[in-house]
């Protein structure tokens, strides 16, 4: 279980697995290697009968600034991303956020600092999210001319559709309290990791089979909808090749940029 990784760390102690996103110089931005390493860890945890809870957090005070756009814009990686969008099965970007729902133990995200875009979508994949009161949260994809496409149709089912549309359309930055009020986060705390540990202690006092059953039963109300996941990929692919995507990137760095008329129906 103590395999060495380049972009994450994994520590297991007293039945608790602490998974830490570890690219602090990039505010723990998610690159292709991190996605592969997160999927590898999740597959290991899926087989474990000794671990009864997982904590996901970020190094050096930030959860994650989202996808590493610098790496995504590399032509080689762009081709890889396009392949993930056009293949008929779930994309790697969707799987890295949805796989935590398949684990047989509770997964708790400890959110501090920035939690943006793909970072927020990763946190939404956890069963419970405990956020520091100073954290900043946003579905930031619209700022870059993109749409949330990492399983958001499944992980944000607790958020009202009108609220989710507004957040996805505006890329509005939220305080931790507001994010909790809207259903993106579960609890706000001055000491989120300590609160997570206290919650894990309560959960671990119950039958692990009853805990597993609770997770499976609640998740059964929101089964995987492949048509919805396809829509995420379909629209992201269209945005990536559209003119307004390039203009959105320029607009993020300079004033006076005007979008062309809507290209798609």
């Amino acid at each position: 279980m103590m395999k060495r990784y380049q972009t994450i760390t994994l520590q297991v102690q007293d039945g608790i697995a602490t998974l830490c996103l570890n690219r602090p110089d990039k505010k723990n931005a998610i690159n292709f290697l991190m996605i592969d390493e997160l999927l590898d860890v999740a597959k290991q945890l899926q087989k474990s009968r000794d671990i009864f809870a997982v904590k996901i957090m970020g190094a050096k005070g930030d959860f994650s600034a989202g996808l590493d756009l610098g790496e995504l814009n590399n032509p080689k990686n762009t081709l890889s991303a396009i392949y993930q969008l056009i293949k008929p099965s779930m994309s790697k970007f969707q799987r890295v956020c949805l796989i935590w729902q398949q684990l047989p133990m509770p997964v708790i995200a400890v959110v501090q600092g920035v939690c943006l875009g793909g970072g927020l979508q990763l946190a939404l994949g956890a069963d419970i999210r405990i956020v520091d009161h100073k954290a900043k949260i946003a579905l930031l994809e619209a700022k870059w001319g993109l749409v949330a496409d990492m399983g958001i149709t499944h992980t944000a089912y607790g958020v009202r559709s009108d609220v989710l549309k507004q957040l996805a359309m505006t890329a509005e930055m939220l305080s931790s309290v507001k994010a909790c009020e809207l259903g993106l986060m579960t609890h706000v705390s001055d000491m989120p990791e300590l609160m997570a540990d206290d919650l894990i202690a309560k959960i671990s006092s119950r039958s692990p089979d009853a805990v597993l059953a609770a997770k499976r039963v609640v998740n059964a109300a929101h089964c995987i909808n492949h048509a919805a996941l396809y829509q995420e990929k379909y629209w992201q692919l269209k945005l990536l090749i559209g003119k307004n995507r390039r203009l959105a990137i320029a607009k993020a760095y300079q004033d006076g940029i005007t979008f062309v008329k809507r290209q798609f129906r």
Side-chain angles (χ1 to χ4, degrees), residues 65-70 72-73 116-118 138-148 168-171 173 236 239-254 259:
L67 287 182
D68 188 332
L69 294 178
L72 182 62
N73 290 331
L116 310 175
L139 279 173
L140 208 59
E141 285 80 3
K143 179 178 179 180
W144 307 108
L146 298 173
V147 67
M169 291 175 180
T170 63
M173 193 72 68
Q236 192 73 298
L239 293 176
L240 280 169
I241 63 176
K243 294 178 181 178
N244 280 320
R245 149 73 171 158
R246 294 189 294 275
L247 292 171
I249 295 173
K251 188 180 179 71
Y253 295 107
Q254 65 185 78
F259 291 113

Side-chain angles (χ1 to χ4, degrees), residues 29-68:
I30 301 168
N31 62 6
F32 283 73
L33 178 58
M34 182 183 285
I35 290 173
D36 289 338
E37 293 187 337
L38 286 169
L39 289 171
D40 184 75
V41 166
K43 289 173 184 175
Q44 292 185 61
L45 294 171
Q46 222 163 6
K47 303 171 186 175
S48 175
R49 292 179 181 268
D50 299 319
I51 294 172
F52 54 78
V54 178
K55 287 191 299 186
I56 301 180
M57 55 197 302
K60 300 291 179 71
D62 285 304
F63 188 78
S64 174
L67 287 182
D68 188 332

Side-chain angles (χ1 to χ4, degrees), residues 109-170:
V110 177
V111 177
Q112 296 173 291
V114 296
C115 182
L116 310 175
L120 175 55
Q121 292 186 77
L122 177 62
L124 287 170
D127 299 302
I128 297 167
R129 290 161 295 284
I130 302 176
V131 59
D132 183 82
H133 72 288
K134 294 181 180 178
K136 298 296 182 184
I137 295 136
L139 279 173
L140 208 59
E141 285 80 3
K143 179 178 179 180
W144 307 108
L146 298 173
V147 67
D149 70 331
M150 298 172 68
I152 193 77
T153 52
H154 293 66
T155 56
Y157 55 73
V159 182
R160 274 178 21 203
S161 61
D162 57 335
V163 170
L164 190 58
K165 287 175 186 176
Q166 177 176 323
L167 297 176
M169 291 175 180
T170 63

Side-chain angles (χ1 to χ4, degrees), residues 7-243:
T7 66
I8 60 177
T9 62
L10 177 66
Q11 294 183 325
V12 179
Q13 185 174 3
D14 299 328
I16 301 171
T18 300
L19 175 58
C20 187
L21 312 182
N22 192 31
R23 299 183 74 213
D25 57 319
K26 298 284 188 178
K27 293 188 178 294
N28 303 317
I30 301 168
N31 62 6
F32 283 73
L33 178 58
M34 182 183 285
I35 290 173
D36 289 338
E37 293 187 337
L38 286 169
L39 289 171
D40 184 75
V41 166
K43 289 173 184 175
Q44 292 185 61
L45 294 171
Q46 222 163 6
K47 303 171 186 175
S48 175
R49 292 179 181 268
D50 299 319
I51 294 172
F52 54 78
V54 178
K55 287 191 299 186
I56 301 180
M57 55 197 302
K60 300 291 179 71
D62 285 304
F63 188 78
S64 174
L67 287 182
D68 188 332
L69 294 178
E71 183 173 290
L72 182 62
N73 290 331
N74 178 300
K76 179 181 176 181
N77 291 329
T78 299
L79 288 175
S80 178
I82 289 174
Y83 166 73
Q84 290 295 324
L85 294 174
I86 64 175
K87 71 177 187 177
S89 57
M90 189 185 300
S91 76
K92 186 182 292 188
F93 305 105
Q94 293 169 331
R95 195 163 65 251
V96 78
C97 293
L98 295 174
I99 196 168
W100 312 102
Q101 296 293 314
Q102 300 169 20
L103 266 55
M105 70 286 286
V107 179
I108 300 174
V110 177
V111 177
Q112 296 173 291
V114 296
C115 182
L116 310 175
L120 175 55
Q121 292 186 77
L122 177 62
L124 287 170
D127 299 302
I128 297 167
R129 290 161 295 284
I130 302 176
V131 59
D132 183 82
H133 72 288
K134 294 181 180 178
K136 298 296 182 184
I137 295 136
L139 279 173
L140 208 59
E141 285 80 3
K143 179 178 179 180
W144 307 108
L146 298 173
V147 67
D149 70 331
M150 298 172 68
I152 193 77
T153 52
H154 293 66
T155 56
Y157 55 73
V159 182
R160 274 178 21 203
S161 61
D162 57 335
V163 170
L164 190 58
K165 287 175 186 176
Q166 177 176 323
L167 297 176
M169 291 175 180
T170 63
E172 176 184 355
M173 193 72 68
L174 302 174
S175 68
S176 54
V177 172
K178 188 66 174 178
C180 198
E181 289 174 355
L182 296 178
L184 291 169
M185 297 289 148
T186 314
H187 303 288
V188 180
S189 174
D190 289 337
M191 304 181 71
E193 188 174 6
L194 181 60
M195 186 175 184
D197 290 338
D198 289 343
L199 180 56
I200 288 171
K202 292 178 182 177
I203 293 172
S204 65
S205 70
R206 306 303 177 192
S207 159
D209 291 311
V211 171
L212 168 63
K215 180 168 178 170
R216 296 288 188 250
V217 167
V218 173
N219 285 352
H222 308 279
C223 296
I224 293 292
N225 182 331
H226 292 282
L229 291 175
Y230 168 78
Q231 284 294 313
E232 292 182 15
K233 300 200 300 175
Y234 171 74
W235 278 103
Q236 192 73 298
L237 183 60
K238 293 182 79 167
L239 293 176
L240 280 169
I241 63 176
K243 294 178 181 178

